[in-house]
Amino acid sequence: MKGILRFGRKGKLSPRFIGPFEILERVDPIAYRLALPPALSSVHNVFHVSMLRKYVADPSHVVDYEPLQLNDNLSYEERPIEILAREVKTLRRRETAFVKVLW
């Protein structure tokens, strides 16, 4: 499992959260059982407090939940939404293209 992406965890210090889920029960003082969708049935449903983030309720905020298409090894493919800017920088004779992408 060392090289497999789980829940969009791309690398060190860049966590990705996959959506708001209901807390079913408190298992320990530091562990909670969540109600996960059927697509995540292969994932254990008890999480440590450090893996969770508090949801601040806002009436104007509508959560647009898109279910992730997970592979058998719990990895998924990220697709860019829109290209915001393109730029080509030249250093001596080498040209490097920079593209700013909205995910």
Side-chain angles (χ1 to χ4, degrees):
M1 301 303 291
K2 187 175 182 183
I4 296 173
L5 291 176
R6 283 182 163 256
F7 303 116
R9 184 170 165 238
K10 198 169 183 177
K12 201 172 180 183
L13 300 177
S14 65
R16 308 268 186 208
F17 296 95
I18 61 169
F21 298 112
E22 181 183 359
I23 295 176
L24 297 177
E25 67 175 315
R26 186 176 183 176
V27 179
D28 281 335
I30 57 170
Y32 290 92
R33 186 179 314 275
L34 301 181
L36 298 177
L40 297 175
S41 63
S42 59
V43 178
H44 192 61
N45 61 352
V46 176
F47 292 89
H48 190 268
V49 175
S50 65
M51 296 177 72
L52 304 175
R53 185 167 68 173
K54 182 179 178 182
Y55 176 71
V56 179
D58 184 9
S60 65
H61 182 242
V62 177
V63 176
D64 183 24
Y65 175 69
E66 279 186 24
L68 291 174
Q69 299 297 325
L70 295 177
N71 298 333
D72 294 336
N73 60 1
L74 300 179
S75 64
Y76 73 97
E77 179 183 343
E78 290 185 357
R79 293 186 195 100
I81 296 173
E82 181 182 351
I83 295 176
L84 299 175
R86 293 176 187 249
E87 185 179 344
V88 177
K89 292 197 174 186
T90 306
L91 181 63
R92 296 186 185 164
R93 292 186 198 138
R94 172 177 268 168
E95 292 184 350
T96 306
F98 290 97
V99 180
K100 188 174 185 181
V101 179
L102 175 65
W103 289 96

